[in-house]
Amino acid sequence: MGLLVCFLVNEAVGLFIKTKDERSRCFTIQLKSGDGLGIVYVVSGEQEANNMFFIIDPKQEVSFEMSSMHEYSGVIVANQTGAHQICFKSFDDDPKLFSFEFYTELPHGHNLVQAEHVDQAAKDINDALKIMERVVSHQQFQSVRELSHSNLLVERERRVKLCLAAKVILLVLMAIIQLYVLTGFLNKRVPNPV
């Protein structure tokens, strides 16, 4: 069983645009009517306030314009669905760097996270937690079992070594006793010269 919980709140994108002339630099983003477009930009370089930022809507009309600002932060709500052009323009030939970040927001009143989604996510998380508890319990049991078997094997190995040492000592003692008895027996049977 797999658990995938994903809450999509927004998407952020950043761009760096270098300019050395007065041409407009534009890119396109798809928006739906009512979507919010969060914008943060900073211009650096010579005469950094000598620029213009503007948005062209799907009808090719300028829907938002900001000029002579070296930085801006705000949210713009799209009035139309379609491709919107986000543009920067420098008013001189001085080199500039536009650092631009934008993110899309959900339409006003639209709530992606609803109560039934939260309840289902909480149930899924609870189920996953129970499974994880079983896995952890099983791993602990495996660890204890491996440790017990390891201790048992070490103890048996120690006993086998002790038994082997006792047998070797017993064999050496038996050999010494046999030599002693045999030499004593042979000494007693030696004939006396008369």
Side-chain angles (χ1 to χ4, degrees), residues 2 7 9 16 49 86 95 103 135 139-140 159 165 169 185 189:
F7 294 104
V9 178
F16 292 96
I86 313 298
Y103 54 93
V135 167
Q139 286 177 336
Q140 288 173 342
R159 287 183 183 174
I169 291 171
F185 180 71
R189 290 193 84 205

Side-chain angles (χ1 to χ4, degrees), residues 5-11 104 106 110-113:
V5 177
C6 180
F7 294 104
L8 175 64
V9 178
N10 62 26
E11 176 184 340
T104 54
L106 296 172
H110 184 272
N111 188 2
L112 186 63
V113 182

Side-chain angles (χ1 to χ4, degrees), residues 60-186:
Q60 299 301 310
E61 297 174 358
V62 175
S63 63
F64 180 82
E65 182 177 325
M66 180 74 60
S67 61
S68 301
M69 300 276 296
H70 76 278
E71 64 181 73
Y72 173 78
S73 178
V75 176
I76 299 157
V77 178
N79 293 328
Q80 300 172 26
T81 299
H84 290 70
Q85 291 183 23
I86 313 298
C87 301
F88 289 96
K89 178 181 172 98
S90 176
F91 293 128
D92 56 36
D93 292 338
D94 293 329
K96 292 181 179 50
L97 177 65
F98 290 87
S99 302
F100 180 74
E101 179 183 359
F102 66 94
Y103 54 93
T104 54
E105 294 184 339
L106 296 172
H108 183 67
H110 184 272
N111 188 2
L112 186 63
V113 182
Q114 297 173 348
E116 60 268 11
H117 295 135
V118 172
D119 292 341
Q120 182 61 39
K123 181 184 176 303
D124 291 345
I125 290 171
N126 194 26
D127 291 345
L129 182 61
K130 287 178 183 176
I131 291 170
M132 290 304 294
E133 286 174 351
R134 279 187 251 152
V135 167
V136 168
S137 174
H138 179 70
Q139 286 177 336
Q140 288 173 342
F141 172 74
Q142 289 286 89
S143 296
V144 169
R145 186 180 77 178
E146 288 173 5
L147 183 63
S148 298
H149 283 278
S150 175
N151 289 341
L152 182 63
L153 287 174
V154 167
E155 181 62 26
R156 283 188 180 169
E157 181 183 3
R158 189 184 66 77
R159 287 183 183 174
V160 167
K161 286 180 180 176
L162 210 69
C163 185
L164 181 63
K167 284 182 179 181
V168 168
I169 291 171
L170 186 62
L171 283 174
V172 169
L173 281 175
M174 284 177 51
I176 292 172
I177 291 173
Q178 285 178 353
L179 281 173
Y180 179 74
V181 169
L182 189 59
T183 55
F185 180 71
L186 288 176

